[in-house]
Amino acid sequence: MKPNKVRNIMSQYGEVGKIYLQPEDPEIRKRRKIGGGSGKKKFTEGWIEFKKKRIAKAVVQSLNGNIIGGKKGSYYHDDIWAMKYLPRFKWSNLTEKLAYDSAVRKKKLQQEMTQVKKETNFFLEQVDKNKQISAIKRKREEKQLTSMKDTSLPSGDDKTDSINSKAPKQRKLAQSSIRTNKTPPDILSSVFTQ
């Protein structure tokens, strides 16, 4: 029911002051629309203020648990009233409750978002680790394959020459610098002989 409809029905019993109807959760409405249901705005509960307490108590006693009624084909004909009289209730209590509910909902959404971020970051880290591990495994397999090929090749093959070419090359000494078996001159004997 929309606020105007509630005001029209309740004004039959007495003078109505403030009316507040709490809209349903947007997520529930979204799911209903996706499922093919009505996209109309619905309300979950409401508060009605009568100008006189006596009338409010009488309305609650007479309507609580009864069928809303009205014309036979009306949308709310078979629905049932669920009413309760709230003594010492003030509208400031309602706004405080709504502010509290809003804060709780925001906090819950923040917690869910941080949890989703943590899960996403963990997943991305695991993907990176998996890529690193698979790269290491691939390199090891390639090394094993090349070492197996090296041992299976004959000694005169080009592959072994290319491996040996990585070793530092040594220069051959010239023939003139190579010493022969000549004995060195005895320098000490020439100094001490007179």
Side-chain angles (χ1 to χ4, degrees):
M1 251 185 231
K2 292 187 178 176
N4 290 337
K5 179 75 172 172
V6 173
R7 185 175 291 277
N8 286 338
I9 292 174
M10 291 298 149
S11 61
Q12 297 172 7
Y13 304 104
E15 191 177 351
V16 177
K18 299 175 187 173
I19 292 180
Y20 175 78
L21 300 180
Q22 184 172 353
E24 69 180 334
D25 188 20
E27 291 296 319
I28 295 172
R29 182 178 180 199
K30 188 184 221 181
R31 277 184 270 162
R32 185 178 67 242
K33 284 173 74 174
I34 289 171
S38 171
K40 292 181 179 179
K41 188 174 186 179
K42 292 189 177 182
F43 301 93
T44 55
E45 57 186 348
W47 290 264
I48 303 166
E49 178 187 48
F50 285 95
K51 294 291 183 179
K52 296 182 180 176
K53 291 181 184 179
R54 182 176 47 83
I55 293 174
K57 288 179 182 177
V59 168
V60 168
Q61 285 179 352
S62 63
L63 293 182
N64 188 31
N66 291 335
I67 296 172
I68 293 174
K71 294 182 180 177
K72 182 83 172 166
S74 73
Y75 186 76
Y76 306 106
H77 182 274
D78 296 323
D79 291 339
I80 296 175
W81 289 112
M83 295 185 167
K84 182 178 181 183
Y85 177 75
L86 301 174
R88 295 180 296 281
F89 178 79
K90 296 182 180 175
W91 285 97
S92 59
N93 297 348
L94 177 63
T95 55
E96 288 173 6
K97 180 186 180 298
L98 294 174
Y100 174 77
D101 289 345
S102 174
V104 167
R105 186 170 183 270
K106 283 181 182 178
K107 184 77 170 174
K108 187 176 178 183
L109 285 174
Q110 284 178 343
Q111 288 176 345
E112 289 175 2
M113 291 300 290
T114 55
Q115 182 66 25
V116 167
K117 284 180 182 178
K118 284 181 183 178
E119 290 173 1
T120 303
N121 290 338
F122 178 75
F123 176 75
L124 293 175
E125 287 174 4
Q126 294 302 318
V127 168
D128 289 342
K129 283 182 183 179
N130 190 19
K131 285 180 182 179
Q132 291 173 352
I133 290 171
S134 61
I136 291 170
K137 286 181 180 178
R138 193 174 351 101
K139 287 180 183 178
R140 284 184 185 166
E141 289 173 359
E142 288 174 0
K143 260 188 181 178
Q144 287 176 351
L145 288 175
T146 55
S147 66
M148 290 175 68
K149 287 181 182 178
D150 290 344
T151 56
S152 65
L153 291 175
S155 61
D157 198 0
D158 294 336
K159 185 73 176 177
T160 56
D161 291 341
S162 66
I163 292 172
N164 289 336
S165 67
K166 293 179 183 176
K169 293 185 180 179
Q170 294 181 356
R171 286 187 270 158
K172 293 183 180 180
L173 294 175
Q175 284 294 340
S176 62
S177 65
I178 297 176
R179 290 192 176 193
T180 57
N181 286 338
K182 295 181 185 177
T183 58
D186 195 9
I187 299 173
L188 290 176
S189 62
S190 62
V191 171
F192 289 111
T193 56
Q194 295 181 348

